[in-house]
């Protein structure tokens, strides 16, 4: 569990270890990840969701291809549903 600079976990934050592509919480879940603004996909954390679901990579690549006509860029957010509650 990564501590803050004081060695304590910040209030309201709980660290959970496990497979991020299989969240174990009740209700709706969000698997967040930060990506680049160059259209690159294929290294780091994105490999895990790509092995489990095709939708995030497909959506990201299509979003990048159409970037002249959308909000693709630093700070933009995309939500891609990969399951009923994920």
């Amino acid at each position: 569990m990564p501590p803050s600079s004081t060695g304590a976990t910040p209030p309201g934050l709980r660290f959970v270890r496990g497979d991020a592509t299989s969240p174990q919480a009740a209700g709706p879940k969000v698997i967040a990840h930060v990506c680049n603004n160059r259209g690159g996909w294929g290294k780091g954390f994105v490999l895990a969701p790509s092995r489990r679901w095709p939708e995030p990579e497909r959506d990201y690549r299509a979003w990048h291809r159409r970037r002249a006509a959308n909000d693709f860029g630093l700070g933009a957010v995309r939500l891609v549903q990969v399951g009923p509650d994920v």
Side-chain angles (χ1 to χ4, degrees):
M1 179 176 338
S4 69
S5 59
T6 63
T9 300
L13 187 62
R14 182 172 62 111
F15 291 93
V16 178
R17 291 184 181 268
D19 181 353
T21 65
S22 183
Q24 301 298 308
K29 294 163 269 306
V30 174
I31 301 170
H33 101 85
V34 178
C35 56
N36 64 58
N37 66 337
R38 295 181 175 204
W41 184 284
K43 291 184 180 181
F45 176 73
V46 298
L47 296 176
S50 287
R51 280 190 293 268
R52 189 168 179 113
W53 307 287
E55 295 91 343
E57 180 177 357
R58 185 173 38 224
D59 180 83
Y60 177 78
R61 291 188 185 278
W63 187 33
H64 178 260
R65 269 193 313 277
R66 297 186 308 267
R67 67 190 172 277
N70 64 40
D71 65 345
F72 185 90
L74 291 177
V77 175
R78 288 291 276 187
L79 297 176
V80 180
Q81 189 163 1
V82 294
D85 61 350
V86 180

Coordinates of all heavy atoms in Angstrom, one line a residue:
M1 N 0.8 -1.2 0.0 CA 0.0 0.0 0.0 C 0.9 1.2 0.0 O 1.6 1.5 1.0 CB -0.9 -0.1 1.2 CG -1.8 1.1 1.4 SD -2.9 1.0 2.8 CE -3.1 -0.7 3.2
P2 N 0.9 2.0 -1.1 CA 1.7 3.2 -1.1 C 1.3 4.3 -0.1 O 0.2 4.7 -0.1 CB 1.6 3.7 -2.5 CG 0.9 2.7 -3.3 CD 0.2 1.8 -2.3
P3 N 2.2 4.7 0.8 CA 1.8 5.8 1.7 C 2.0 7.1 1.1 O 2.6 7.3 0.1 CB 2.8 5.5 2.9 CG 4.0 5.0 2.2 CD 3.5 4.2 1.0
S4 N 1.4 8.1 1.8 CA 1.7 9.5 1.4 C 3.0 9.9 1.9 O 3.7 9.1 2.5 CB 0.6 10.4 2.0 OG 0.7 10.5 3.4
S5 N 3.4 11.2 1.7 CA 4.7 11.6 2.2 C 4.8 11.6 3.7 O 5.9 11.5 4.2 CB 5.0 13.0 1.7 OG 4.0 13.9 2.1
T6 N 3.7 11.6 4.4 CA 3.7 11.5 5.8 C 3.7 10.0 6.3 O 3.8 9.8 7.5 CB 2.5 12.2 6.4 OG1 1.3 11.5 6.0 CG2 2.5 13.7 6.0
G7 N 3.5 9.1 5.4 CA 3.5 7.7 5.7 C 2.1 7.2 6.0 O 1.9 6.0 6.2
A8 N 1.1 8.0 5.9 CA -0.3 7.6 6.2 C -1.1 7.6 4.9 O -0.8 8.3 3.9 CB -0.9 8.6 7.1
T9 N -2.1 6.8 4.8 CA -3.0 6.7 3.6 C -3.9 7.9 3.7 O -4.5 8.1 4.8 CB -3.8 5.4 3.6 OG1 -2.8 4.3 3.6 CG2 -4.7 5.3 2.4
P10 N -4.1 8.7 2.7 CA -5.0 9.8 2.7 C -6.4 9.4 3.1 O -6.9 8.3 2.7 CB -5.0 10.4 1.3 CG -3.7 9.8 0.7 CD -3.4 8.5 1.4
P11 N -7.2 10.2 3.8 CA -8.5 9.9 4.2 C -9.4 9.6 3.0 O -9.3 10.3 2.0 CB -9.0 11.1 4.9 CG -7.8 11.9 5.2 CD -6.8 11.5 4.3
G12 N -10.2 8.6 3.0 CA -11.2 8.3 1.9 C -10.5 7.5 0.8 O -11.2 7.1 -0.1
L13 N -9.2 7.2 0.9 CA -8.6 6.4 -0.1 C -8.2 5.0 0.4 O -7.7 4.9 1.5 CB -7.3 7.1 -0.6 CG -6.5 6.6 -1.7 CD1 -7.4 6.6 -3.0 CD2 -5.3 7.4 -2.0
R14 N -8.6 4.0 -0.4 CA -8.3 2.7 0.0 C -7.6 2.0 -1.1 O -8.0 2.0 -2.3 CB -9.6 1.9 0.3 CG -9.5 0.5 0.8 CD -10.8 -0.1 1.2 NE -11.7 -0.1 0.1 CZ -12.1 -1.3 -0.5 NH1 -11.7 -2.4 0.0 NH2 -13.0 -1.3 -1.4
F15 N -6.4 1.4 -0.9 CA -5.7 0.7 -1.9 C -6.1 -0.8 -1.9 O -6.2 -1.4 -0.8 CB -4.2 0.8 -1.6 CG -3.7 2.2 -1.8 CD1 -3.6 3.0 -0.7 CD2 -3.3 2.6 -3.0 CE1 -3.1 4.3 -0.9 CE2 -2.8 3.9 -3.2 CZ -2.7 4.8 -2.2
V16 N -6.3 -1.4 -3.1 CA -6.7 -2.7 -3.2 C -5.8 -3.4 -4.2 O -5.5 -2.8 -5.3 CB -8.2 -2.9 -3.7 CG1 -8.6 -4.3 -3.9 CG2 -9.1 -2.1 -2.8
R17 N -5.2 -4.5 -3.9 CA -4.3 -5.3 -4.8 C -5.1 -6.3 -5.5 O -6.1 -6.9 -5.0 CB -3.2 -5.9 -4.0 CG -2.3 -5.0 -3.4 CD -1.1 -5.7 -2.7 NE -0.2 -4.8 -2.1 CZ 0.9 -4.3 -2.7 NH1 1.1 -4.7 -3.9 NH2 1.6 -3.5 -2.0
G18 N -4.7 -6.6 -6.8 CA -5.4 -7.6 -7.5 C -5.3 -7.2 -9.0 O -4.6 -6.4 -9.5
D19 N -6.2 -7.9 -9.8 CA -6.2 -7.7 -11.2 C -7.2 -6.5 -11.5 O -8.4 -6.6 -11.3 CB -6.8 -9.0 -11.8 CG -6.9 -8.9 -13.4 OD1 -6.7 -7.8 -13.9 OD2 -7.2 -10.0 -13.9
A20 N -6.6 -5.5 -12.1 CA -7.4 -4.2 -12.3 C -8.5 -4.5 -13.4 O -9.5 -3.8 -13.4 CB -6.5 -3.1 -12.8
T21 N -8.3 -5.5 -14.2 CA -9.4 -5.8 -15.2 C -10.5 -6.7 -14.6 O -11.4 -7.1 -15.4 CB -8.8 -6.5 -16.4 OG1 -8.3 -7.8 -16.1 CG2 -7.7 -5.7 -17.0
S22 N -10.4 -7.0 -13.4 CA -11.5 -7.8 -12.7 C -11.8 -7.1 -11.4 O -11.5 -7.7 -10.3 CB -11.0 -9.2 -12.5 OG -12.0 -10.0 -11.9
P23 N -12.4 -5.9 -11.4 CA -12.7 -5.2 -10.1 C -13.6 -6.0 -9.3 O -14.6 -6.5 -9.8 CB -13.2 -3.8 -10.6 CG -13.5 -4.0 -12.0 CD -12.8 -5.2 -12.6
Q24 N -13.4 -6.0 -8.0 CA -14.2 -6.8 -7.1 C -15.1 -5.9 -6.1 O -15.3 -6.2 -5.0 CB -13.3 -7.6 -6.2 CG -12.4 -8.6 -7.0 CD -13.2 -9.6 -7.8 OE1 -14.0 -10.3 -7.2 NE2 -12.9 -9.7 -9.1
A25 N -15.6 -4.9 -6.7 CA -16.5 -4.0 -5.9 C -18.0 -4.2 -6.3 O -18.2 -4.6 -7.4 CB -16.1 -2.6 -6.0
A26 N -18.9 -3.8 -5.5 CA -20.3 -3.9 -5.8 C -20.6 -2.6 -6.6 O -20.0 -1.6 -6.4 CB -21.2 -4.0 -4.6
G27 N -21.6 -2.7 -7.5 CA -22.1 -1.6 -8.3 C -21.2 -1.2 -9.4 O -20.3 -2.0 -9.8
P28 N -21.5 -0.1 -10.0 CA -20.7 0.3 -11.2 C -19.2 0.5 -10.9 O -18.9 1.0 -9.8 CB -21.3 1.7 -11.6 CG -22.7 1.7 -10.9 CD -22.5 0.8 -9.7
K29 N -18.4 0.2 -11.8 CA -16.9 0.3 -11.6 C -16.3 1.0 -12.8 O -16.7 0.9 -14.0 CB -16.3 -1.1 -11.5 CG -16.8 -1.8 -10.2 CD -16.5 -3.3 -10.3 CE -17.6 -4.1 -10.8 NZ -18.9 -4.0 -10.2
V30 N -15.2 1.8 -12.6 CA -14.5 2.5 -13.6 C -13.0 2.0 -13.5 O -12.4 2.1 -12.4 CB -14.6 4.0 -13.5 CG1 -13.6 4.7 -14.5 CG2 -16.0 4.5 -13.6
I31 N -12.5 1.6 -14.6 CA -11.1 1.2 -14.7 C -10.4 2.4 -15.4 O -10.6 2.6 -16.6 CB -10.8 -0.1 -15.4 CG1 -11.5 -1.2 -14.7 CG2 -9.3 -0.4 -15.6 CD1 -11.5 -2.5 -15.5
A32 N -9.7 3.2 -14.7 CA -9.2 4.5 -15.3 C -7.7 4.2 -15.7 O -7.0 3.5 -15.0 CB -9.2 5.6 -14.3
H33 N -7.4 4.8 -16.8 CA -6.0 4.8 -17.2 C -5.7 6.0 -18.1 O -6.6 6.5 -18.7 CB -5.6 3.4 -17.9 CG -5.5 3.5 -19.4 ND1 -4.4 3.8 -20.0 CD2 -6.4 3.1 -20.3 CE1 -4.6 3.7 -21.3 NE2 -5.9 3.3 -21.5
V34 N -4.5 6.5 -18.0 CA -4.1 7.6 -18.7 C -3.3 7.2 -20.0 O -2.5 6.2 -20.0 CB -3.1 8.5 -17.9 CG1 -2.6 9.7 -18.6 CG2 -3.8 8.9 -16.6
C35 N -3.7 7.8 -21.1 CA -3.0 7.4 -22.3 C -2.4 8.7 -23.0 O -2.7 9.8 -22.6 CB -4.0 6.7 -23.3 SG -5.4 7.7 -23.7
N36 N -1.6 8.4 -24.0 CA -0.9 9.5 -24.7 C -1.8 10.2 -25.7 O -2.9 9.8 -26.0 CB 0.4 9.0 -25.4 CG 0.1 8.0 -26.5 OD1 -0.7 8.3 -27.4 ND2 0.6 6.8 -26.4
N37 N -1.4 11.3 -26.3 CA -2.1 12.0 -27.3 C -1.5 11.8 -28.7 O -1.7 12.6 -29.6 CB -2.2 13.5 -27.0 CG -0.9 14.2 -27.0 OD1 0.1 13.6 -26.9 ND2 -0.9 15.5 -27.2
R38 N -0.8 10.7 -28.9 CA -0.1 10.5 -30.1 C -0.8 9.3 -30.9 O -0.4 8.9 -32.0 CB 1.3 10.1 -29.9 CG 2.1 11.3 -29.4 CD 3.5 11.0 -29.2 NE 4.2 12.2 -28.8 CZ 5.5 12.4 -29.0 NH1 6.2 11.4 -29.6 NH2 6.1 13.5 -28.6
G39 N -1.8 8.7 -30.3 CA -2.4 7.5 -30.9 C -1.7 6.2 -30.7 O -2.1 5.2 -31.3
G40 N -0.7 6.2 -29.8 CA 0.0 5.0 -29.5 C -0.8 4.1 -28.5 O -1.3 4.6 -27.6
W41 N -0.8 2.8 -28.8 CA -1.4 1.9 -27.9 C -0.7 0.6 -28.0 O -0.4 0.1 -29.1 CB -2.9 1.6 -28.3 CG -3.7 0.8 -27.4 CD1 -3.7 -0.6 -27.4 CD2 -4.7 1.2 -26.6 NE1 -4.6 -1.1 -26.5 CE2 -5.3 0.0 -25.9 CE3 -5.3 2.4 -26.2 CZ2 -6.3 0.1 -25.0 CZ3 -6.3 2.4 -25.3 CH2 -6.8 1.3 -24.7
G42 N -0.3 0.0 -26.9 CA 0.4 -1.3 -27.0 C 1.5 -1.6 -26.0 O 2.2 -2.6 -26.1
K43 N 1.7 -0.7 -25.1 CA 2.7 -0.9 -24.0 C 2.1 -0.5 -22.7 O 1.2 0.3 -22.6 CB 4.0 0.0 -24.3 CG 4.8 -0.4 -25.5 CD 6.0 0.5 -25.6 CE 6.8 0.0 -26.8 NZ 8.0 0.8 -26.9
G44 N 2.7 -1.1 -21.7 CA 2.2 -0.8 -20.3 C 0.9 -1.4 -19.9 O 0.5 -2.5 -20.4
F45 N 0.1 -0.6 -19.1 CA -1.1 -1.1 -18.6 C -2.1 -1.5 -19.6 O -2.9 -2.4 -19.4 CB -1.7 -0.1 -17.6 CG -3.1 -0.5 -17.1 CD1 -3.2 -1.5 -16.2 CD2 -4.2 0.1 -17.6 CE1 -4.4 -1.9 -15.7 CE2 -5.5 -0.3 -17.1 CZ -5.6 -1.2 -16.2
V46 N -2.2 -0.8 -20.8 CA -3.2 -1.1 -21.8 C -3.2 -2.5 -22.3 O -4.2 -3.0 -22.8 CB -3.1 -0.1 -23.0 CG1 -3.4 1.3 -22.6 CG2 -1.9 -0.3 -23.8
L47 N -2.1 -3.2 -22.1 CA -2.0 -4.6 -22.6 C -3.0 -5.5 -21.8 O -3.6 -6.4 -22.4 CB -0.6 -5.1 -22.4 CG 0.4 -4.4 -23.3 CD1 1.8 -5.0 -23.0 CD2 0.1 -4.5 -24.8
A48 N -3.2 -5.2 -20.5 CA -4.1 -6.0 -19.7 C -5.6 -5.8 -20.2 O -6.2 -6.8 -20.4 CB -4.0 -5.7 -18.2
P49 N -6.1 -4.6 -20.3 CA -7.5 -4.5 -20.8 C -7.6 -5.0 -22.2 O -8.6 -5.6 -22.6 CB -7.7 -3.0 -20.7 CG -6.7 -2.4 -19.8 CD -5.6 -3.3 -19.8
S50 N -6.6 -4.8 -23.0 CA -6.7 -5.3 -24.4 C -6.8 -6.8 -24.5 O -7.4 -7.3 -25.4 CB -5.4 -4.8 -25.2 OG -5.5 -3.5 -25.5
R51 N -6.1 -7.5 -23.6 CA -6.2 -9.0 -23.6 C -7.7 -9.4 -23.2 O -8.1 -10.5 -23.6 CB -5.2 -9.6 -22.6 CG -3.8 -9.7 -23.1 CD -2.9 -10.5 -22.3 NE -2.7 -9.9 -21.0 CZ -1.7 -9.0 -20.7 NH1 -0.8 -8.8 -21.7 NH2 -1.5 -8.5 -19.5
R52 N -8.3 -8.6 -22.4 CA -9.6 -9.0 -21.9 C -10.8 -8.5 -22.7 O -11.8 -9.2 -22.8 CB -9.8 -8.4 -20.4 CG -11.0 -8.9 -19.7 CD -10.9 -8.6 -18.3 NE -12.1 -9.1 -17.6 CZ -12.1 -10.1 -16.7 NH1 -11.0 -10.6 -16.4 NH2 -13.2 -10.4 -16.1
W53 N -10.7 -7.3 -23.3 CA -11.8 -6.7 -24.0 C -11.2 -6.0 -25.3 O -10.2 -5.3 -25.2 CB -12.5 -5.6 -23.2 CG -13.0 -6.0 -21.9 CD1 -14.1 -6.8 -21.7 CD2 -12.5 -5.6 -20.6 NE1 -14.2 -7.0 -20.3 CE2 -13.3 -6.2 -19.7 CE3 -11.5 -4.8 -20.2 CZ2 -13.1 -6.0 -18.3 CZ3 -11.2 -4.6 -18.9 CH2 -12.1 -5.2 -17.9
P54 N -11.8 -6.1 -26.4 CA -11.4 -5.4 -27.6 C -11.9 -4.0 -27.7 O -11.3 -3.1 -28.4 CB -12.0 -6.2 -28.8 CG -13.2 -6.9 -28.2 CD -12.9 -7.1 -26.7
E55 N -12.9 -3.6 -27.0 CA -13.6 -2.3 -27.1 C -12.7 -1.1 -26.8 O -12.7 -0.1 -27.6 CB -14.9 -2.2 -26.3 CG -15.9 -3.2 -26.7 CD -15.9 -4.5 -26.0 OE1 -14.9 -4.9 -25.4 OE2 -16.9 -5.2 -26.0
P56 N -11.9 -1.1 -25.7 CA -11.1 0.1 -25.4 C -10.1 0.4 -26.5 O -10.0 1.6 -26.9 CB -10.5 -0.2 -24.1 CG -11.4 -1.2 -23.4 CD -11.9 -2.0 -24.6
E57 N -9.4 -0.5 -27.0 CA -8.4 -0.3 -28.0 C -9.0 0.1 -29.3 O -8.6 1.1 -29.9 CB -7.5 -1.5 -28.2 CG -6.4 -1.2 -29.3 CD -5.5 -2.4 -29.5 OE1 -5.6 -3.4 -28.8 OE2 -4.6 -2.3 -30.4
R58 N -10.1 -0.5 -29.7 CA -10.8 -0.2 -30.9 C -11.3 1.2 -30.8 O -11.2 2.0 -31.8 CB -11.9 -1.2 -31.1 CG -12.7 -1.0 -32.4 CD -13.7 -2.1 -32.7 NE -14.4 -2.6 -31.5 CZ -14.6 -3.9 -31.2 NH1 -14.2 -4.8 -32.0 NH2 -15.3 -4.2 -30.1
D59 N -11.9 1.6 -29.7 CA -12.5 2.9 -29.5 C -11.4 4.0 -29.6 O -11.5 5.0 -30.2 CB -13.2 3.0 -28.2 CG -13.8 4.4 -28.0 OD1 -14.9 4.7 -28.6 OD2 -13.2 5.3 -27.4
Y60 N -10.3 3.7 -28.9 CA -9.2 4.7 -28.8 C -8.6 4.9 -30.2 O -8.3 6.1 -30.6 CB -8.1 4.2 -27.9 CG -6.8 5.1 -27.8 CD1 -6.9 6.3 -27.1 CD2 -5.7 4.8 -28.5 CE1 -5.8 7.1 -27.1 CE2 -4.6 5.6 -28.5 CZ -4.6 6.8 -27.8 OH -3.5 7.6 -27.7
R61 N -8.4 3.9 -31.0 CA -7.8 4.0 -32.3 C -8.7 4.8 -33.2 O -8.3 5.6 -34.0 CB -7.4 2.6 -32.9 CG -6.2 2.0 -32.1 CD -5.7 0.8 -32.8 NE -4.7 0.1 -32.0 CZ -3.4 0.5 -32.0 NH1 -3.0 1.5 -32.8 NH2 -2.5 -0.2 -31.3
A62 N -10.0 4.5 -33.2 CA -11.0 5.2 -34.0 C -11.1 6.7 -33.6 O -11.2 7.5 -34.4 CB -12.4 4.5 -33.9
W63 N -11.0 6.9 -32.3 CA -11.1 8.3 -31.8 C -9.9 9.1 -32.3 O -10.0 10.2 -32.8 CB -11.1 8.2 -30.3 CG -11.3 9.5 -29.5 CD1 -12.0 10.6 -29.9 CD2 -10.7 9.8 -28.2 NE1 -12.0 11.6 -28.9 CE2 -11.2 11.1 -27.9 CE3 -9.9 9.1 -27.3 CZ2 -10.9 11.7 -26.7 CZ3 -9.6 9.7 -26.1 CH2 -10.1 11.0 -25.8
H64 N -8.7 8.4 -32.3 CA -7.5 9.1 -32.8 C -7.6 9.3 -34.3 O -7.2 10.4 -34.8 CB -6.3 8.2 -32.5 CG -5.0 8.8 -33.0 ND1 -4.4 8.3 -34.2 CD2 -4.2 9.8 -32.6 CE1 -3.3 9.0 -34.4 NE2 -3.2 9.9 -33.5
R65 N -8.1 8.3 -35.1 CA -8.2 8.5 -36.5 C -9.1 9.7 -36.9 O -8.8 10.4 -37.8 CB -8.8 7.2 -37.2 CG -7.8 6.2 -37.6 CD -8.4 5.1 -38.5 NE -9.7 4.6 -38.0 CZ -9.7 3.6 -37.1 NH1 -8.7 3.1 -36.6 NH2 -10.9 3.1 -36.7
R66 N -10.1 9.9 -36.1 CA -11.1 11.0 -36.3 C -10.8 12.3 -35.5 O -11.6 13.1 -35.3 CB -12.5 10.5 -36.0 CG -13.0 9.4 -36.9 CD -14.4 9.0 -36.7 NE -14.8 8.8 -35.3 CZ -14.8 7.7 -34.7 NH1 -14.5 6.6 -35.3 NH2 -15.2 7.6 -33.4
R67 N -9.5 12.4 -35.0 CA -9.2 13.5 -34.1 C -9.4 14.9 -34.7 O -9.7 15.8 -33.9 CB -7.7 13.3 -33.6 CG -6.7 13.5 -34.7 CD -5.3 13.1 -34.2 NE -4.3 13.1 -35.3 CZ -4.1 12.2 -36.1 NH1 -4.8 11.1 -36.1 NH2 -3.2 12.2 -37.0
A68 N -9.3 15.1 -36.0 CA -9.6 16.4 -36.5 C -11.0 16.9 -36.3 O -11.3 18.1 -36.3 CB -9.2 16.4 -38.0
A69 N -11.9 15.9 -36.1 CA -13.3 16.2 -35.9 C -13.9 16.0 -34.5 O -15.1 16.0 -34.3 CB -14.1 15.4 -36.9
N70 N -13.0 15.8 -33.6 CA -13.5 15.6 -32.2 C -12.5 16.2 -31.2 O -11.7 17.0 -31.5 CB -13.6 14.0 -32.0 CG -12.3 13.3 -32.0 OD1 -11.3 13.7 -31.6 ND2 -12.4 12.1 -32.6
D71 N -12.7 15.8 -29.9 CA -11.9 16.5 -28.8 C -10.7 15.7 -28.4 O -10.1 15.9 -27.4 CB -12.8 16.6 -27.6 CG -13.3 15.2 -27.0 OD1 -13.1 14.2 -27.7 OD2 -13.8 15.2 -25.9
F72 N -10.2 14.8 -29.3 CA -9.0 14.0 -29.0 C -7.8 15.0 -28.6 O -7.5 15.9 -29.4 CB -8.6 13.2 -30.2 CG -7.4 12.2 -29.9 CD1 -7.6 11.0 -29.4 CD2 -6.1 12.7 -30.1 CE1 -6.6 10.1 -29.1 CE2 -5.1 11.8 -29.8 CZ -5.3 10.5 -29.3
G73 N -7.2 14.8 -27.5 CA -6.1 15.6 -27.1 C -5.9 15.5 -25.6 O -6.7 14.9 -24.8
L74 N -4.9 16.1 -25.1 CA -4.6 16.1 -23.7 C -5.7 16.6 -22.9 O -6.3 17.7 -23.2 CB -3.3 16.9 -23.4 CG -2.0 16.3 -23.9 CD1 -0.8 17.3 -23.6 CD2 -1.7 14.9 -23.3
G75 N -6.1 15.9 -21.8 CA -7.2 16.3 -21.0 C -8.6 15.8 -21.4 O -9.5 15.9 -20.6
A76 N -8.7 15.3 -22.6 CA -10.0 14.7 -23.0 C -10.2 13.4 -22.3 O -9.3 12.7 -21.9 CB -10.0 14.5 -24.5
V77 N -11.5 13.0 -22.1 CA -11.9 11.8 -21.4 C -12.8 11.0 -22.3 O -13.7 11.5 -22.9 CB -12.6 12.2 -20.1 CG1 -13.1 10.9 -19.4 CG2 -11.7 13.0 -19.2
R78 N -12.6 9.7 -22.3 CA -13.4 8.7 -23.0 C -13.9 7.7 -22.0 O -13.1 7.2 -21.2 CB -12.7 8.0 -24.1 CG -12.4 8.8 -25.3 CD -13.5 9.2 -26.1 NE -14.0 8.1 -27.1 CZ -14.9 8.3 -28.0 NH1 -15.4 9.5 -28.1 NH2 -15.3 7.4 -28.8
L79 N -15.1 7.3 -22.1 CA -15.7 6.2 -21.3 C -16.1 5.1 -22.2 O -16.9 5.4 -23.2 CB -16.8 6.7 -20.4 CG -16.5 7.7 -19.4 CD1 -17.8 8.2 -18.7 CD2 -15.5 7.2 -18.4
V80 N -15.6 3.9 -22.1 CA -15.9 2.8 -22.9 C -16.5 1.7 -22.1 O -15.8 1.2 -21.2 CB -14.7 2.3 -23.7 CG1 -15.0 1.2 -24.6 CG2 -14.1 3.5 -24.5
Q81 N -17.7 1.4 -22.3 CA -18.3 0.3 -21.5 C -17.9 -1.1 -22.0 O -18.0 -1.3 -23.2 CB -19.9 0.4 -21.5 CG -20.5 -0.5 -20.6 CD -22.0 -0.2 -20.3 OE1 -22.5 0.8 -20.8 NE2 -22.6 -0.9 -19.4
V82 N -17.4 -1.9 -21.1 CA -16.9 -3.2 -21.5 C -17.7 -4.3 -20.8 O -17.5 -5.5 -21.1 CB -15.4 -3.4 -21.1 CG1 -14.6 -2.5 -22.0 CG2 -15.1 -3.2 -19.7
G83 N -18.7 -4.0 -20.0 CA -19.5 -5.0 -19.3 C -20.7 -4.2 -18.7 O -20.7 -3.0 -18.7
P84 N -21.7 -5.0 -18.2 CA -22.9 -4.3 -17.7 C -22.6 -3.3 -16.6 O -23.3 -2.3 -16.5 CB -23.7 -5.5 -17.1 CG -23.1 -6.7 -17.7 CD -21.7 -6.4 -18.1
D85 N -21.6 -3.5 -15.8 CA -21.3 -2.5 -14.7 C -19.8 -2.1 -14.7 O -19.3 -1.6 -13.7 CB -21.6 -3.1 -13.3 CG -20.8 -4.4 -13.0 OD1 -20.2 -4.9 -13.9 OD2 -20.9 -4.9 -11.9
V86 N -19.1 -2.3 -15.8 CA -17.7 -1.8 -15.9 C -17.6 -0.9 -17.2 O -18.0 -1.3 -18.2 CB -16.7 -3.0 -16.1 CG1 -15.3 -2.6 -16.2 CG2 -16.9 -4.0 -14.9

